[in-house]
Coordinates of all heavy atoms in Angstrom, one line a residue:
V1 N 38.7 15.5 -84.1 CA 38.3 15.6 -85.5 C 39.4 16.6 -86.2 O 39.9 16.2 -87.3 CB 36.9 16.1 -85.7 CG1 36.5 16.6 -87.2 CG2 35.9 15.1 -85.3
T2 N 39.5 17.8 -85.8 CA 40.5 18.6 -86.4 C 41.9 18.1 -86.5 O 42.6 18.4 -87.5 CB 40.5 20.1 -85.7 OG1 40.8 19.9 -84.3 CG2 39.1 20.8 -85.8
S3 N 42.3 17.4 -85.5 CA 43.6 16.8 -85.4 C 43.8 15.8 -86.7 O 45.0 15.6 -87.2 CB 43.9 16.0 -84.1 OG 43.1 14.9 -84.1
Q4 N 42.7 15.2 -87.1 CA 43.0 14.3 -88.3 C 43.3 15.1 -89.5 O 44.2 14.8 -90.4 CB 41.6 13.5 -88.6 CG 41.2 12.6 -87.5 CD 39.9 12.0 -87.8 OE1 39.7 11.3 -88.7 NE2 38.9 12.3 -86.8
Y5 N 42.6 16.2 -89.8 CA 42.9 17.1 -90.9 C 44.3 17.8 -90.8 O 45.0 17.8 -91.7 CB 41.8 18.1 -91.1 CG 40.4 17.6 -91.4 CD1 39.6 17.3 -90.4 CD2 40.2 17.3 -92.9 CE1 38.2 16.9 -90.8 CE2 38.9 16.8 -93.1 CZ 38.0 16.6 -92.1 OH 36.7 16.1 -92.4
Q6 N 44.5 18.2 -89.6 CA 45.9 18.8 -89.3 C 47.1 17.8 -89.5 O 48.1 18.0 -90.0 CB 45.9 19.4 -88.0 CG 45.1 20.7 -87.8 CD 45.1 21.2 -86.4 OE1 44.6 20.5 -85.5 NE2 45.7 22.3 -86.2
G7 N 46.6 16.5 -89.1 CA 47.7 15.5 -89.2 C 48.2 15.0 -90.6 O 49.3 14.8 -90.7
V8 N 47.2 15.2 -91.5 CA 47.6 15.0 -92.9 C 48.7 15.9 -93.4 O 49.6 15.4 -94.0 CB 46.3 15.0 -93.8 CG1 46.8 15.0 -95.2 CG2 45.4 13.9 -93.5
V9 N 48.6 17.1 -93.0 CA 49.6 18.2 -93.3 C 50.8 18.0 -92.5 O 51.9 18.1 -93.1 CB 48.9 19.6 -93.1 CG1 49.9 20.6 -93.4 CG2 47.6 19.7 -93.9
D10 N 50.6 17.7 -91.3 CA 51.8 17.5 -90.4 C 52.8 16.5 -91.0 O 53.9 16.6 -91.0 CB 51.5 17.2 -89.0 CG 50.9 18.3 -88.2 OD1 51.3 19.5 -88.6 OD2 50.1 18.2 -87.3
R11 N 52.2 15.4 -91.4 CA 53.0 14.2 -91.8 C 53.7 14.5 -93.2 O 54.6 13.7 -93.5 CB 52.1 13.0 -91.9 CG 51.7 12.4 -90.5 CD 51.0 11.0 -90.7 NE 49.7 11.2 -91.2 CZ 48.6 11.4 -90.5 NH1 48.6 11.6 -89.2 NH2 47.3 11.6 -91.1
L12 N 53.3 15.5 -93.8 CA 54.1 15.9 -95.0 C 55.1 16.9 -94.8 O 55.7 17.5 -95.6 CB 53.0 16.5 -96.0 CG 52.1 15.5 -96.7 CD1 51.2 16.1 -97.7 CD2 52.7 14.4 -97.4
G13 N 55.3 17.2 -93.4 CA 56.3 18.1 -93.0 C 56.0 19.6 -93.2 O 56.8 20.4 -93.3
L14 N 54.6 19.9 -93.3 CA 54.1 21.2 -93.4 C 53.4 21.6 -92.2 O 53.0 20.9 -91.3 CB 53.2 21.2 -94.6 CG 53.8 20.8 -96.0 CD1 52.6 20.6 -97.0 CD2 54.8 21.8 -96.4
H15 N 53.1 23.0 -92.1 CA 52.5 23.5 -91.0 C 51.1 24.1 -91.2 O 51.0 25.0 -91.9 CB 53.4 24.7 -90.4 CG 52.8 25.3 -89.2 ND1 52.4 24.7 -88.0 CD2 52.4 26.7 -89.1 CE1 51.9 25.6 -87.2 NE2 51.9 26.8 -87.8
P16 N 50.1 23.4 -90.6 CA 48.8 24.0 -90.8 C 48.4 25.1 -89.9 O 48.0 24.9 -88.8 CB 47.9 22.7 -90.4 CG 48.7 22.0 -89.4 CD 50.1 22.3 -89.8
G17 N 48.8 26.4 -90.5 CA 48.8 27.5 -89.5 C 47.3 28.0 -89.1 O 47.1 28.4 -88.0
V18 N 46.3 27.7 -90.0 CA 44.9 28.1 -89.8 C 44.1 27.0 -90.3 O 44.5 26.3 -91.3 CB 44.6 29.4 -90.7 CG1 43.2 29.7 -90.6 CG2 45.4 30.5 -90.1
V19 N 43.1 26.6 -89.5 CA 42.1 25.7 -89.9 C 40.8 26.4 -90.0 O 40.4 27.0 -88.9 CB 42.1 24.5 -88.9 CG1 40.9 23.6 -89.3 CG2 43.4 23.8 -88.8
T20 N 40.0 26.4 -91.1 CA 38.9 27.1 -91.2 C 37.7 26.3 -91.9 O 38.2 25.6 -92.8 CB 39.2 28.4 -92.0 OG1 37.9 29.2 -91.9 CG2 39.6 28.3 -93.3
P21 N 36.4 26.5 -91.6 CA 35.5 25.7 -92.4 C 35.3 26.3 -93.8 O 35.5 27.5 -94.1 CB 34.2 26.0 -91.6 CG 34.6 26.6 -90.2 CD 35.9 27.2 -90.5
S22 N 34.8 25.4 -94.7 CA 34.7 25.8 -96.1 C 33.8 26.9 -96.4 O 34.1 27.8 -97.2 CB 34.4 24.6 -96.9 OG 33.1 24.1 -96.5
T23 N 32.6 27.1 -95.6 CA 31.7 28.2 -95.9 C 32.4 29.6 -95.5 O 32.2 30.5 -96.3 CB 30.4 28.0 -95.1 OG1 29.6 27.0 -95.7 CG2 29.5 29.2 -95.2
L24 N 33.1 29.7 -94.4 CA 33.6 31.0 -94.1 C 34.8 31.3 -95.1 O 35.0 32.5 -95.4 CB 34.3 30.9 -92.6 CG 33.3 30.6 -91.5 CD1 34.0 30.8 -90.2 CD2 32.2 31.6 -91.6
S25 N 35.4 30.2 -95.6 CA 36.4 30.6 -96.7 C 35.7 31.0 -98.0 O 36.1 32.1 -98.6 CB 37.2 29.2 -97.0 OG 38.0 29.0 -96.0
A26 N 34.7 30.4 -98.4 CA 33.9 30.8 -99.5 C 33.4 32.2 -99.4 O 33.3 33.0 -100.4 CB 32.8 29.7 -99.8
L27 N 32.9 32.6 -98.2 CA 32.3 33.9 -97.9 C 33.4 35.0 -98.3 O 32.9 36.1 -98.7 CB 31.8 34.1 -96.5 CG 30.5 33.3 -96.2 CD1 30.2 33.4 -94.7 CD2 29.3 34.0 -97.1
N28 N 34.6 34.7 -98.2 CA 35.7 35.7 -98.4 C 35.8 36.0 -99.9 O 36.5 36.9 -100.3 CB 37.0 35.3 -97.8 CG 37.0 35.4 -96.4 OD1 37.0 36.6 -95.9 ND2 37.2 34.4 -95.6
L29 N 35.2 35.1 -100.8 CA 35.2 35.3 -102.2 C 34.2 36.3 -102.7 O 34.1 36.7 -103.8 CB 35.2 34.0 -102.9 CG 36.3 33.1 -102.8 CD1 36.0 31.8 -103.5 CD2 37.6 33.8 -103.5
L30 N 33.1 36.6 -101.8 CA 32.0 37.4 -102.2 C 32.5 38.8 -102.5 O 33.2 39.4 -101.7 CB 31.0 37.5 -101.1 CG 30.1 36.1 -100.9 CD1 29.2 36.3 -99.7 CD2 29.3 36.0 -102.1
N31 N 32.1 39.4 -103.6 CA 32.2 40.8 -103.9 C 31.2 41.6 -103.2 O 30.0 41.7 -103.8 CB 32.3 40.9 -105.4 CG 32.7 42.4 -105.8 OD1 32.6 43.3 -105.0 ND2 33.4 42.5 -106.9
I32 N 31.5 42.0 -102.0 CA 30.5 42.8 -101.3 C 29.9 44.0 -102.0 O 28.8 44.3 -101.8 CB 31.1 43.2 -99.8 CG1 31.6 41.9 -99.1 CG2 30.1 43.8 -99.1 CD1 30.5 40.8 -98.8
D33 N 30.7 44.6 -102.7 CA 30.2 45.9 -103.3 C 29.1 45.5 -104.4 O 28.4 46.4 -104.8 CB 31.4 46.5 -104.1 CG 32.5 47.1 -103.1 OD1 32.1 47.3 -101.9 OD2 33.6 47.2 -103.6
R34 N 29.1 44.4 -105.0 CA 28.0 44.1 -106.0 C 26.9 43.4 -105.4 O 25.9 43.1 -106.0 CB 28.8 43.1 -106.9 CG 29.8 43.6 -107.8 CD 30.3 42.7 -108.8 NE 31.5 43.2 -109.6 CZ 32.0 42.6 -110.6 NH1 31.6 41.4 -110.9 NH2 33.0 43.1 -111.3
L35 N 26.8 43.2 -104.0 CA 25.7 42.6 -103.4 C 24.8 43.6 -102.9 O 25.1 44.8 -102.6 CB 26.1 41.7 -102.2 CG 27.0 40.5 -102.5 CD1 27.5 39.8 -101.3 CD2 26.3 39.5 -103.4
A36 N 23.5 43.3 -102.8 CA 22.5 44.1 -102.1 C 22.8 44.3 -100.6 O 23.6 43.3 -100.1 CB 21.1 43.6 -102.3
S37 N 22.3 45.2 -99.9 CA 22.6 45.3 -98.5 C 22.3 44.1 -97.7 O 23.1 43.7 -96.7 CB 21.8 46.5 -97.9 OG 20.4 46.3 -98.0
D38 N 21.3 43.3 -98.1 CA 20.9 42.0 -97.6 C 21.1 41.0 -98.7 O 20.5 41.1 -99.8 CB 19.5 42.1 -97.0 CG 19.2 42.8 -95.8 OD1 20.3 43.3 -95.2 OD2 18.1 42.9 -95.3

């Protein structure tokens, strides 16, 4: 499965250095300082 997504990038002559799920990527956009402790 992951090779299919990486293959799209490979065939364009690019290097897929990191593969990550979308939720973990989105979590990095959270402004932790503005959130409650939970």
Side-chain angles (χ1 to χ4, degrees):
V1 169
T2 56
S3 64
Q4 294 174 65
Y5 294 96
Q6 290 174 297
V8 169
V9 179
D10 285 331
R11 285 188 291 274
L12 293 178
L14 302 170
H15 175 60
V18 172
V19 177
T20 185
S22 59
T23 287
L24 295 189
S25 292
L27 285 171
N28 282 298
L29 290 174
L30 287 174
N31 189 329
I32 302 300
D33 295 337
R34 295 185 180 179
L35 297 177
S37 57
D38 288 353

